[in-house]
Amino acid sequence: QVQLVESGGGLVQAGGSLRLSCVASGRFFSINAMGWHRQAPGKEREFLAAITSGASTNYADSVKGRFTISRDNAKNTVYLQMNSLKPEDTAVYFCNAAISTGKQSIVSWGQGTQVTVSS
């Protein structure tokens, strides 16, 4: 079983920064792409950023230039550095990972961490 656990959310003023972390644990062979999504109340889950095992990155236009995704393969951890936060960034932030267990490839999701940006 694979688990993803996010941390680092909280309350921040507009213009501030937060760094989210997501650690993968359990029994698996390898972690391929990892990513971040968010979901605001009453809205669909939105893709934010992804990073491959080779550190190639991809961003949604809404966060490009403000958010930076990175990963530490030795720690099975993906990060999301969020700068210049806006009230509209308020949402629950989820990480996900494409994982090979050796027998199959699965996509796992974390439970989410709340980010609230006050104006």
Side-chain angles (χ1 to χ4, degrees):
Q1 186 175 1
V2 179
Q3 288 187 323
L4 299 179
V5 179
E6 301 98 336
S7 62
L11 174 64
V12 64
Q13 288 188 331
S17 299
L18 282 175
R19 188 193 194 205
L20 306 182
S21 301
C22 173
V23 181
S25 63
R27 296 176 64 87
F28 52 85
F29 178 70
S30 65
I31 302 176
N32 302 314
M34 305 183 80
W36 289 94
H37 291 65
R38 69 186 178 191
Q39 188 165 18
K43 295 188 177 181
E44 294 186 352
R45 191 167 294 191
E46 172 191 16
F47 166 79
L48 297 177
I51 185 168
T52 68
S53 58
S56 294
T57 58
N58 184 35
Y59 294 93
D61 288 342
S62 59
V63 303
K64 197 173 295 183
R66 298 190 300 126
F67 292 7
T68 302
I69 190 170
S70 61
R71 64 190 284 174
D72 184 333
N73 291 331
K75 297 181 179 179
N76 296 325
T77 300
V78 63
Y79 305 97
L80 187 68
Q81 177 67 44
M82 305 186 294
N83 299 327
S84 302
L85 284 163
K86 307 173 182 179
E88 52 263 43
D89 293 318
T90 295
V92 178
Y93 284 67
F94 299 89
C95 70
N96 71 340
I99 295 173
S100 296
T101 65
K103 295 182 179 181
Q104 59 181 335
S105 295
I106 60 175
V107 176
S108 290
W109 289 83
Q111 294 299 306
T113 184
Q114 177 70 47
V115 171
T116 303
V117 184
S118 63
S119 57

